[in-house]
Each structure stands twice: as C-alpha cells, then as structure tokens.
C-alpha cells in the first residue's frame, strides 16, 4: 500500500509451487556455496521484508538487517535476490501467468465464426496479411547471455520433471541437475565487463532466430493449418534491426550490415542442410514397393547419385542432389565448407523459391501414395514451410538512419556534382522539386573520382552493401529503410536519392512506374510529428511518380514511435496521439488506393509502449490493421517472450490472433458512441499533456532532480548495448534517449513515464460516469488504463522517497516530489473509480499476486542501492561500490521484468 492512499483488504498471496521449489533449491545453493552466515543474513532480510509487506511487522522501526552487511556481503546478497527474481520469472512463465484467455489462433477463429465471419473471409485476410515481430538491439536486457542460457536449461529440466521423470536422459536425478544449474548461476558473473559490440548483438539475436524461431514457426503453421482446415498463407515472417539500425549508433557500418546478413544466411542454410540430411534418413521409399511419379524420377536422375545401394530409392537420391545444391549455396554465400560435406557436386540454387519448388515436387510425390499421410506434416512439410518463411536470409533486415544525416549527405552529393550549391538553404517546396528532378533519371550523383566526407562515404557504403545483399540473398533480405525524425516529404525523397546511388531506385520509363527495391518508411515520433503524419503522407502520395510506385507495390508502411512521443507528451497523450494518427492515416491511404501497414515501435516498459501485445493490437482503431502489422521486440522482452519454444509459441499465437481479431471483428462502438468517447478523450489527453509538460519541461530544476534522484548517471556505465545513452552530448531531457529515461525512473520505483499527468486528467474530468462507460466499452481506453494499472502496482513512492536525500537542492526536490506523489494518488484513485475496482489489479488476481510476491524482494535492493549511490557520489572509490550499484540495477530490472 502506498503511503497516504487508502486501499482495501486484499486476498492473501497464493504462491506458485514452482517458486517455492526453486526458491528452496536456491537457498540450499546459497548455504552450500555462500556459507551459513550469508544464508542466515539473506533469510533474515527476506523474512522481515515479507512481514513488512504483509503487514505482519510495522513498516518502520524494525531492523531490516541491511546495515549489518559488509560490501562483500552486499554483493552476494544482491546476487541472491536477483537469482530469486530470475527463477520466479521462470516459474511464472511456466505456469502461464502471462498467458491471456483467447490469445491463440484457434480461439480467435472460433470467436470470429461465432460473430458470423466465414472461414473464407479469414483466409482472404491472411492471403494479404503480414505479421512481423522485429527484433532490435535496444539496450534494456541487463542479463548476460550466459545467465539466460542457464535459466533456459532449468526450464527444460522443469518441463522434464512435469512428465513425472525422476532422471535426465544421462541418468542424473532431476533435482540434482536443477540444483547444479542454480549453482552454476550462482557462480556465473552477472555483469558484463565490456560493452557489447554490434557483433555480440548480432550473435545474441541470431541465437533466438536459430534456436527458437526456426524450429517453432513451421510447427505453428502446421497447427494453424489444422485450425483453418487448409494450408495457411505464409503471412508471419521475421524481422530485425540488428546490423542495420544506424540511428545514433556510429558502430553500425557496412561491415556490420554484411556480417549480420551473412551470419543469418549461414544459419539458415545449415538448418536446411540438417533437415535434408534427416529427411534422407527417413524417406527410404523403394521403387519396388511404391509407385514413383515421373517428376521424382527426374529429380533423382538429375542428382547424379548413381550408387547401386540406392538405385531403388529415388527420394533419397533426389534429396542427395538437393543437399548438394544447398551445400553449394552455403559455400557461395559464406565462403566456408558446409559442416557436413556433400557427397555430390551441385549447382547453387538461384533463389529460395527454386529450392522450395524441388521440395514441393517431393511433397506431391508423397501425396500420391495411400491417403497422402506421408506428405502431411512431418519433416518435409516443415522444411517446405521453413524455406517459404526464411528464404536464404532468415529475417528481413531493416535499415534505419536519422533524417538529419540524410539531408546532409544529399546536400554534399548535390554540391559536389555541381547540381545545387546549398541544398540545406532551400525551403521544402524547392527541395521537393529538386529531388523529383533527380529521381526522374537514373544518373547517379556520386562519382568514384570525387572526395566525400566520412559521413557521406559511410552512407553510400550502406546503400552499396544493401544492393550487394539483394544480389546475394534476394530482395527480401532488406526491403525497408526507416527514417527517424521524419518530418517532411523531402525526408522520404532523400532516401530514394541514396537508394538510386546503388541502383535500388529506378526512374519511371516508357510508361512504367518508378521502382524502389527498398521502401522508404517514415518514423513519426513526437506528438507534433504524429499530428502532421496524415498531411505528409497525403502530399507524398500526391506526387505522380510516388503515387504510381506505391500503387504498383500495393502497400506503404508508416512507423509510429511510442518512446519519444511518451517522453515528449506523457503516457496518455502519447497513446492517444498514436491512436488518432493511425485513424487519420487510414483515409489518406484509402484515397491513394494503397494498403496501410503500420509498424509499431514499442518498448518493454509501458512508458515506451509496452504491455500486452494482444490487448494493444486489438485496441487499434478499426480499419487500421487489415492483417498487416509489424512490432518491435527489444531488450528484456525478447528473452521473456521468446526465451523458450513454449513462450515463443504463446506470444506468437497472441500477436497473430490479435491481428486477426483486429482485422475482422465487427466494430464494438457505434459512430455516435465513438464520437462521444473521442470528444472526452481529446479533453482528457489535453489536460494530461499540460500537466506532464508543466512538470517535466516547465519546472525549474526538474532536469537536475531527475539526474540526481535516479541512477541515470550510473546506468550509463552498464555494458548492455553498443549505442550511446544520448543522441548528443547535451544533458537536456529532449536529447536523452527514451530507454535510459524510462529505465531510470523504474529503478527509483517512481515509473513516472507510465502514469504522470493521467491522474490530473481523470481528476479534472467532470463526467465520471462517462469515464466508467469508456473503461467498460472501449478497448482502447480499457487497454490504456490496464497498462497504467500495472505500472502503478509496481511503483512505490514510499521507497522512492528514500532516494530524495540524493537530490542536492532539498527544497526544490521536496517540492517536485510532492507534486509527483499527488499526481500518483490522483492516478491511482481516478483509475479505481473509472474501473470500479476496490484496489489495483482486483480484476487481474494472477498479475496482482505476481507483483505482490516479488515486491518484498525488491525493497531491500532499492534501499541498498540508495546507500551505495550515496557513497559513490560522495567520492568513495572502492570498486565494490560501483559493482554493487550495477548489480542492484541488474537485480531490480530483473525483478520488475519490463523496466525498460
């Protein structure tokens, strides 16, 4: 319970049995490896914190046990609590705490059919659909990959334990194996010693693609085939930014782009070769016992496999030839010999479609025998689906760069080419006219005999590397170029100019429209940008050559950013601005005759668009999904959602089913009711915006308050990503990246970006009955309040008050903190009144129990963090203090789960 806020009596926590089990094993490990003294200290601190949280002991006046810890004790204690949180997260994931009812394709199809939607209508949407989780390297994952790997082994062992088995396949008792893994966790260094390089980020993402997505997705498609009663269109694909996102990251260059693409392609081809080898062992069909269609005989003959031992096994011979060709692709694309050498020589496939065609020939042959069961499911069907999904590239890599860099590069190209001496001085109209003239021909502006700045040389090298990748891996390897800080039509045309330099833009010719092998995609981030987005896209489509281009392509993507819009205008205004921008864009696209594809740049924390993807997708404005949606997955969210095959299946099902429901479900609100709700929301958002801006941007000393209250300075020392924490050297909040902004507030348990301003808006809105109607009937408002509710439940201003002594100007600090406390109370009370609940998360008892269970384990970490910050900022230089701060940051982030 927060100080100063009344709360009802809540039900006792029913602890997950897996948490008790794993917690007991962890305690045993601490006693054995850390010693009896550390175990007793840890247990005392834990039990007293739990007693305070449950009201058994008073909140003040009880010895917490923290003061007795030496620095060495502190480091060990923090590691222990961090490991408990990691194991608790694992236990909850296993028990399906994060699983939402109805969040699977089978349930969605059943619901749609109940609403009168025919199966043919569902298939029609899926045939034009594209659903893509896009993995990014945004630095919010504090755990080392080694820690995550040990955690995943424990998950596998727990799953084996569920079957009733007492031993592993190697004959080790399961409990001993789990204890051993926990002991390995205990003795594994949690902190990175060196900052991650882009190569590390590429490898980390590749481990998820290779070990999780590639085995899981074909099986999911097979499940959906059974649900739909026919073969599901290949609408779900994979995306990544890692190796292509250069916005604010000078370490991503053409070399890293080539590395990311090459590593992904190599992993994909190795997966195919292993699957082909397994199929060769399985498909031992003899021509003496089965009828062999002519196409199969032709494939076998073309393989060059004339071994007498296989002369009556045409499928094996055909597979040997296919394997040889894929092995040749592997050698050509990676420059390495395949892990298992091919027995035959083969020509590389020209593309993945040709490989799929050969595999499909095998499938048709198998289908002609008996009842066709040999062709349904099984390894061949999964491999065909894998090739269809992953091609030779595995995941489509986006390029991203800031518009300010594009305009400088284009300005230099134009100046050196003698076309325009001062492009930057031109107004928007003149820029558009000039860029259109240049895009009307295929003559490049650049010259290999000219000298360019390092920035221009780097950007041209990226375009050339992208063109090279298209030739090597096919056009699906890179098909979008994201423009950060897009504010105008010229921002999009400038990207087309850069693409033209590498032959990726072809001018209109003899009545044929222009062609762009890579789509320029604007990213609208701030509140003002979101408001301007419909006008910008309308003007872009209004250019004849662009209008013809996008019509020929059939769709255009727009990315909308949750992080910067939140930092700019606060949680509710950001969420509403994104909703309204999406809705306002729909008629613009309809008038242009182009399908709209929105790319949602969501983070893990609610302050950066986090929360339930299932609810968020369904809360999109009607008509804005239409089966096409891309969503970023980043940082700690990747491990949480895709760390194991089971969690990956659950979360992919949720994303896919939500996209189906959002595309096909009948509208839940009548136009009259929606207009009433919209008018109210406009007023609420405006009030929230004014309140948020008044605190964050108009309060003197707020910048200093934020930087001193939270561990923002110390977070910058964490080695969790290759990107700098700020886009510039400025200390302004405007220039700070959204991730450290949100992450810092979470560490101090304020979590301000996820709720501030909303309380003022709800409090001042006169029609409280209307708020209740909106919370009950409107998915958008319900999801918005639900996400904020989770943040409020995880925040704790009583704990945050312990950070106040870190603020140098105590008078200013107390005044600002009082406003924050009052805003929290208004948000809390306003949310309960609108939702009709007696306490936070009353309608979500599983999440309520989950959060309440872990809060007693976070409080001691916060109290230790404050003391360590005081000593660090006072100038103490014991390296254990710095290590303790970073360990506490790691532990608190692990316990809060979606803190970045």
């Amino acid at each position: 319970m927060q100080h100063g806020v009344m709360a009802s009596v809540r039900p006792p926590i029913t602890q997950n049995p897996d948490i008790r089990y794993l917690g007991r094993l962890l305690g045993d490990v601490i006693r054995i490896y850390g010693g009896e003294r550390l175990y007793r200290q840890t247990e005392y601190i834990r039990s007293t914190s739990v007693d305070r949280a449950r009201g058994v002991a008073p909140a003040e006046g009880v010895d917490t046990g923290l003061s007795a810890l030496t620095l060495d004790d502190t480091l060990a204690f923090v590691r222990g609590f961090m490991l408990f949180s990691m194991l608790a997260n694992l236990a909850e994931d296993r028990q399906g705490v994060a699983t939402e009812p109805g969040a699977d394709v089978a349930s969605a199809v059943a619901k749609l059919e109940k609403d009168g939607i025919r199966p043919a209508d569902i298939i029609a949407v899926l045939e034009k659909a594209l659903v893509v989780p896009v993995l990014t390297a945004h630095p919010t994952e504090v755990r080392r990959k080694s820690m995550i790997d040990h955690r995943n082994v424990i998950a596998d062992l727990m799953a084996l334990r569920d079957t009733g088995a007492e031993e592993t396949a190697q004959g080790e008792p399961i409990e001993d194996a789990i204890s051993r893994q926990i002991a390995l966790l205990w003795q594994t260094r949690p902190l990175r010693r060196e900052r991650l390089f882009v190569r590390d980020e590429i490898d980390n993402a590749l481990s998820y693609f290779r070990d999780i997505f590639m085995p899981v997705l074909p099986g999911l498609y097979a499940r959906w085939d059974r649900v739909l009663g026919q073969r599901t269109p290949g609408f779900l694909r994979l995306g990544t930014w890692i190796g292509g996102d250069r916005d604010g990251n000078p370490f991503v260059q053409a070399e890293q782009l080539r590395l990311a693409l090459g590593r992904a392609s190599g992993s994909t081809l190795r997966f195919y070769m292993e699957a082909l080898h397994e199929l060769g062992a399985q498909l031992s069909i003899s021509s003496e016992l089965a009828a062999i269609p002519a196409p199969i005989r032709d494939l076998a003959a073309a393989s060059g496999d004339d071994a007498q031992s296989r002369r009556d096994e045409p499928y094996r011979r055909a597979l040997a030839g296919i394997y040889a060709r894929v092995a040749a692709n592997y050698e050509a694309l990676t420059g390495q010999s395949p892990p298992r050498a091919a027995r035959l020589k083969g020509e590389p496939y020209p593309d993945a479609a040709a490989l799929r065609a050969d595999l499909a020939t095998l499938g048709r042959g198998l289908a002609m025998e008996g009842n066709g069961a040999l062709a349904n499911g099984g390894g061949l069907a999964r491999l065909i689906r894998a090739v269809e999904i992953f091609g030779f590239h595995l995941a489509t890599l986006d390029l991203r760069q800031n518009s300010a860099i594009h305009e400088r590069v284009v300005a230099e190209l134009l100046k050196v080419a003698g076309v325009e001496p001062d492009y930057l001085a031109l107004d928007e109209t003149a820029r558009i006219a000039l860029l259109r003239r240049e895009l009307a021909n295929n003559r490049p502006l650049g010259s290999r005999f000219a000298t360019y700045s390092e920035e221009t040389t780097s950007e041209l090298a990226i375009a050339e590397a992208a063109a090279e990748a298209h030739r090597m891996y096919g056009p699906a390897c890179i098909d979008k170029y994201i423009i950060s800080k897009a504010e105008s039509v010229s921002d999009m045309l400038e990207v087309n100019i850069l693409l033209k330099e590498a032959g990726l833009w072809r001018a209109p010719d003899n009545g044929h429209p222009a062609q762009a092998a890579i789509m320029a995609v604007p990213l609208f981030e701030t509140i003002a940008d979101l408001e301007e987005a419909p006008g910008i896209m309308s003007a872009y489509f209004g250019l004849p050559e662009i209008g013809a281009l996008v019509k020929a392509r059939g769709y255009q993507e727009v990315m909308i950013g949750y992080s910067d819009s939140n930092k700019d205008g606060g949680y509710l205004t950001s969420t509403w601005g994104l909703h309204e921008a999406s809705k306002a864009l729909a008629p613009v696209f309809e008038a242009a005759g182009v399908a709209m594809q929105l790319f949602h740049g969501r983070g893990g924390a609610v302050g950066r668009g986090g929360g339930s993807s299932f609810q968020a997708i369904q809360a999109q404005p009607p008509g804005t999904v239409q089966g096409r949606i891309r969503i970023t997955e980043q940082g700690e969210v990747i491990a949480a959602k895709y760390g194991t095959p089971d969690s990956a299946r659950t979360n992919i099902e949720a994303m896919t089913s939500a996209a189906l429901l959002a595309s096909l479900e009948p509208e839940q609100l009548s136009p009259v009711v929606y207009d009433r709700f919209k008018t109210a929301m406009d007023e609420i958002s405006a009030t929230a915006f004014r309140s948020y801006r008044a605190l964050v941007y108009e309060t003197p000393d707020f910048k200093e308050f934020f930087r001193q209250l939270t561990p923002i300075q110390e977070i910058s020392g964490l080695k969790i990503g290759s990107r700098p924490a700020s886009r510039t050297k400025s200390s302004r909040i405007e220039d700070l990246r959204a991730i450290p902004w949100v992450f810092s507030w979470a560490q101090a348990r304020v979590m301000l970006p996820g709720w501030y301003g909303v309380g003022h808006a709800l409090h001042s809105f006169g029609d409280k009955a209307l708020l209740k109607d909106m919370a009950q009937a409107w998915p958008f408002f319900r999801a918005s309040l639900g996400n904020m509710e989770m943040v409020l439940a995880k925040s704790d201003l009583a704990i945050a008050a312990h950070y106040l002594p870190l603020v140098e100007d105590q008078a200013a600090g107390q005044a600002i903190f009082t406003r924050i406390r009052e805003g929290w109370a208004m948000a809390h009370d306003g949310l309960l009144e609108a939702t009709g609940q007696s306490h936070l998360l009353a309608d979500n008892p599983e999440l309520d129990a989950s959060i309440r269970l872990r809060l007693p384990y976070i409080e001691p970490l916060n109290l230790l963090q404050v003391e360590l910050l005081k000593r660090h900022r006072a100038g103490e230089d014991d390296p254990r203090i710095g290590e303790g701060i970073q360990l506490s940051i790691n532990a608190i982030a692990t316990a809060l789960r979606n803190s970045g």
Side-chain angles (χ1 to χ4, degrees):
M1 185 175 73
Q2 301 285 332
H3 288 254
V5 179
M6 296 300 294
S8 64
V9 177
R10 302 166 88 161
I13 299 172
T14 303
Q15 195 178 76
N16 182 317
D18 283 351
I19 294 179
R20 281 200 303 272
Y21 176 73
L22 292 170
R24 175 176 64 79
L25 296 183
L26 174 62
D28 292 342
V29 165
I30 292 175
R31 178 187 279 121
I32 293 168
Y33 291 88
E36 186 68 27
R37 176 174 168 273
L38 176 63
Y39 171 78
R40 291 186 179 278
Q41 285 181 311
T42 301
E43 181 58 22
Y44 177 81
I45 294 169
R46 184 200 69 80
S47 60
T48 55
S49 185
V50 169
D51 287 346
R52 287 196 305 275
R54 294 179 177 176
V56 175
E60 305 293 340
V62 176
D63 179 18
T64 63
L66 297 173
S67 60
L69 297 177
T70 66
L71 278 176
D72 287 332
D73 293 338
T74 296
L75 298 181
F77 167 79
V78 172
R79 278 196 298 125
F81 265 39
M82 178 195 66
L83 293 183
F84 173 81
S85 296
M86 178 183 286
L87 295 173
N89 295 345
L90 165 62
E92 290 178 351
D93 290 344
R94 280 174 36 78
Q95 296 298 323
V97 168
T99 303
E100 298 165 276
D104 60 89
V105 170
S107 298
V109 168
K111 189 173 190 300
L112 290 170
E113 289 180 347
K114 187 177 179 181
D115 291 336
I117 307 297
R118 300 175 305 159
D121 297 326
I122 297 174
I123 293 295
V125 166
L126 292 179
E127 284 175 344
K128 298 180 180 179
L130 182 70
V131 177
V132 184
V134 180
L135 273 57
T136 79
H138 286 63
T140 61
E141 174 56 85
V142 294
R143 297 171 299 174
R144 290 179 63 208
K145 183 66 166 54
S146 298
M147 302 287 285
I148 296 172
D149 289 343
H150 288 310
R151 178 254 189 216
N152 290 343
V153 173
I154 294 171
D156 292 339
L157 289 168
M158 291 292 286
L160 182 61
R161 179 174 177 263
D162 291 341
T163 67
E166 296 181 356
E167 295 182 344
T168 67
Q170 292 73 35
E172 183 179 15
I174 288 177
E175 183 162 312
D176 291 354
I178 295 173
S179 294
R180 186 164 50 78
Q181 287 299 321
I182 294 175
L184 287 170
L185 273 174
W186 175 255
Q187 296 192 315
T188 296
R189 172 172 44 83
L191 298 175
R192 298 184 182 96
R193 292 276 167 80
E194 295 180 351
R195 182 171 293 278
L196 283 177
F197 294 100
V198 178
R199 174 188 292 271
D200 301 318
E201 293 170 336
I202 290 168
D203 288 343
N204 286 345
L206 193 57
S207 70
Y208 289 99
F209 287 133
R210 179 189 63 236
D211 301 337
I212 303 295
F213 286 104
M214 293 194 79
V216 163
L217 288 192
L220 272 179
Y221 269 102
R223 180 191 295 177
W224 299 335
D225 292 347
R226 294 190 295 273
V227 169
L228 295 169
Q230 67 178 80
R231 196 170 195 277
T232 309
F235 67 94
L236 180 74
R237 304 298 171 100
L238 299 177
T240 178
W241 275 13
I242 304 169
D245 180 10
R246 304 179 325 284
D247 181 21
N249 191 342
F251 305 111
V252 178
Q253 301 288 337
E255 177 187 351
Q256 285 71 34
L257 178 65
R258 291 188 176 94
L259 178 68
L261 292 164
R263 298 293 287 272
S265 180
S267 290
T268 308
L269 294 170
R270 284 193 296 273
F271 181 87
Y272 295 163
M273 286 187 287
E274 187 61 32
L276 287 165
H277 178 72
E278 292 175 4
L279 282 172
Q282 295 169 15
L283 297 183
S284 55
I285 298 169
S286 171
S287 58
E288 298 172 5
L289 301 173
I292 307 299
I296 303 298
R297 294 197 302 270
D298 293 342
L299 264 183
S303 71
D305 185 355
D306 54 7
Q308 288 299 305
S309 60
R310 288 183 296 278
R311 66 181 183 277
D312 67 325
E313 296 176 336
Y315 285 92
R316 278 183 164 167
R317 292 167 57 210
L319 284 164
I322 294 171
Y323 184 98
R325 297 191 69 183
V326 174
N329 283 110
Y330 184 84
E331 290 189 25
L333 294 177
T334 69
Q336 301 171 0
S337 299
R340 181 182 285 109
R343 291 183 291 103
L344 308 171
K345 289 294 183 182
E347 287 294 317
Y349 281 105
D351 51 37
L355 167 60
R356 188 195 179 282
D358 278 356
L359 295 172
T361 297
L362 296 181
R364 286 191 295 272
L366 292 175
M368 295 176 68
E369 280 292 300
N371 63 0
L374 292 177
N376 296 328
L380 178 59
R382 289 192 296 272
L383 180 56
I384 291 172
R385 183 65 84 172
V387 173
E388 192 177 288
I389 302 167
F390 309 125
F392 285 165
H393 62 284
L394 204 167
T396 298
L397 177 64
D398 292 350
L399 303 179
R400 183 168 83 127
Q401 185 56 284
N402 196 290
S403 62
I405 290 180
H406 295 150
E407 69 177 11
R408 291 198 298 267
V409 170
V410 169
E412 184 174 2
L413 288 172
L414 290 167
K415 181 178 181 179
V416 172
V419 175
E420 169 55 51
D422 194 356
Y423 172 76
L424 298 179
L426 301 179
D427 62 21
E428 176 67 4
T429 301
R431 286 189 182 191
I432 291 174
L434 173 55
L435 296 173
R436 289 183 67 197
R437 287 197 299 272
E438 289 302 317
L439 291 171
N441 64 73
N442 292 320
R443 182 195 72 248
L445 289 168
S447 168
R448 60 192 178 94
F449 301 108
T451 302
Y452 298 103
S453 66
E454 182 180 345
E455 182 176 71
T456 295
T457 301
S458 172
E459 294 304 309
L460 291 177
I462 288 287
E464 287 294 342
E468 175 187 295
H470 274 216
R471 294 189 291 270
M472 293 178 67
Y473 311 112
C477 69
I478 302 173
D479 63 8
K480 294 176 184 67
Y481 194 130
I482 313 295
I483 308 161
S484 297
K485 301 292 183 185
E487 298 173 345
S488 63
V489 171
S490 64
D491 286 339
M492 300 175 71
L493 295 178
E494 285 160 2
V495 166
N496 290 330
I497 290 287
L498 296 178
L499 295 174
K500 188 184 82 162
E501 293 301 299
L504 295 169
W505 165 280
R506 306 298 294 175
D509 182 44
N510 294 327
H512 297 290
Q515 297 177 17
I518 297 177
M519 179 193 302
V521 175
L523 166 52
F524 299 113
E525 299 178 84
T526 67
I527 300 298
D529 292 344
L530 290 168
E531 291 172 350
E532 295 295 326
I536 293 171
M537 295 310 299
S538 180
Y540 187 64
F541 292 153
L543 302 178
E545 64 276 26
I546 298 298
L549 167 68
V550 295
K551 277 186 179 178
R553 182 192 293 127
Y555 79 100
Q556 169 68 41
E557 181 171 281
V558 168
M559 185 173 184
I560 50 179
Y562 289 65
S563 302
D564 285 295
S565 60
N566 179 288
K567 185 160 65 73
D568 182 40
Y571 168 63
L572 199 62
T573 301
S574 165
T575 306
W576 182 237
L578 291 159
H579 183 279
E580 287 299 273
S582 302
K583 189 174 178 64
L585 283 166
V588 172
F589 278 71
E590 186 176 356
V594 179
M596 179 171 70
Q597 180 170 296
L598 290 179
F599 184 10
H600 297 259
R602 289 161 49 93
V606 168
R608 296 185 51 247
S612 164
S613 296
F614 183 64
Q615 294 180 18
I617 294 172
Q618 289 187 86
Q620 295 304 306
T624 61
V625 177
Q626 296 302 309
R628 304 190 73 92
I629 190 167
R630 296 205 304 154
I631 299 177
T632 56
E633 304 282 24
Q634 48 192 256
E636 79 283 6
V637 172
I638 296 175
K641 294 173 71 171
Y642 307 111
T644 67
D646 284 343
S647 62
R649 289 185 193 96
T650 296
N651 285 286
I652 294 167
E653 284 268 18
M655 180 186 297
T656 303
S657 57
L660 270 178
L661 292 170
S663 301
L664 289 165
E665 264 197 308
E667 291 190 30
Q668 298 185 23
L669 301 177
S670 69
V672 173
V673 171
Y674 177 79
D675 288 344
R676 183 168 173 243
F677 286 179
K678 179 186 182 304
T679 300
M681 196 63 217
D682 285 338
E683 179 184 335
I684 295 167
S685 173
T687 304
F689 179 77
R690 288 193 299 271
S691 301
Y692 175 85
R693 296 283 303 186
L695 176 73
V696 174
Y697 293 103
E698 298 166 15
T699 300
D701 303 319
F702 183 84
K703 179 183 71 175
E704 290 74 17
F705 171 84
F706 159 66
R707 291 191 173 275
Q708 293 168 13
L709 182 88
T710 73
I712 176 65
Q713 303 167 52
E714 291 75 16
I715 284 171
S716 64
L718 284 174
K719 311 296 193 295
I720 59 176
S722 64
R723 298 195 315 172
S726 185
R727 287 187 171 92
T728 70
K729 294 182 179 180
S730 163
S731 65
R732 298 191 318 153
I733 290 173
E734 292 92 331
D735 296 321
L736 182 69
R737 288 191 182 278
I739 290 172
W741 165 253
V742 173
F743 198 101
S744 302
W745 286 113
Q747 286 288 312
R749 302 296 297 286
V750 181
M751 298 186 163
L752 181 138
W755 55 266
Y756 193 83
V758 183
H760 300 79
L762 297 178
H763 177 75
S764 65
F765 190 75
D767 193 343
K768 298 297 192 285
L770 178 57
L771 289 178
K772 292 181 179 179
D773 289 344
M774 292 164 64
Q776 182 69 30
W778 194 9
F780 164 78
F781 196 59
R782 186 165 60 245
S784 300
L785 291 183
N787 287 334
M788 185 179 79
E789 185 177 10
M790 178 185 67
V791 174
L792 292 174
K794 290 185 177 182
S795 65
D796 191 320
L797 296 194
I799 290 178
H802 288 276
Y803 287 76
L804 261 180
L806 297 169
V807 179
E808 294 174 6
D809 188 335
Q810 279 292 293
Q814 289 285 353
I816 293 172
F817 192 77
T818 298
R819 291 171 64 183
I820 292 173
R821 191 192 293 273
E822 291 170 350
W824 189 97
M826 285 190 287
H828 171 274
D829 295 347
L831 183 142
L832 293 186
E833 184 175 8
T835 59
Q837 299 176 103
S838 59
H839 58 80
L840 293 177
L841 299 174
D843 293 339
N844 193 342
E846 293 85 3
L847 182 58
D848 180 42
S850 167
I851 292 175
R852 289 168 60 202
L853 170 73
R854 65 188 60 230
L855 290 182
Y857 294 85
I858 309 177
E859 179 183 5
L861 297 171
N862 283 116
L863 298 179
L864 283 173
Q865 186 180 83
V866 169
E867 292 307 309
L868 292 168
L869 287 170
K870 287 178 183 176
R871 296 175 66 174
H872 174 67
R873 294 180 184 180
E876 291 192 42
D877 58 2
D878 190 316
R880 291 173 296 179
I881 294 175
E883 184 180 355
I885 292 171
Q886 294 197 348
L887 268 176
S888 70
I889 292 170
N890 188 310
I892 292 169
T894 300
L896 291 173
R897 302 207 74 170
N898 53 352
S899 60

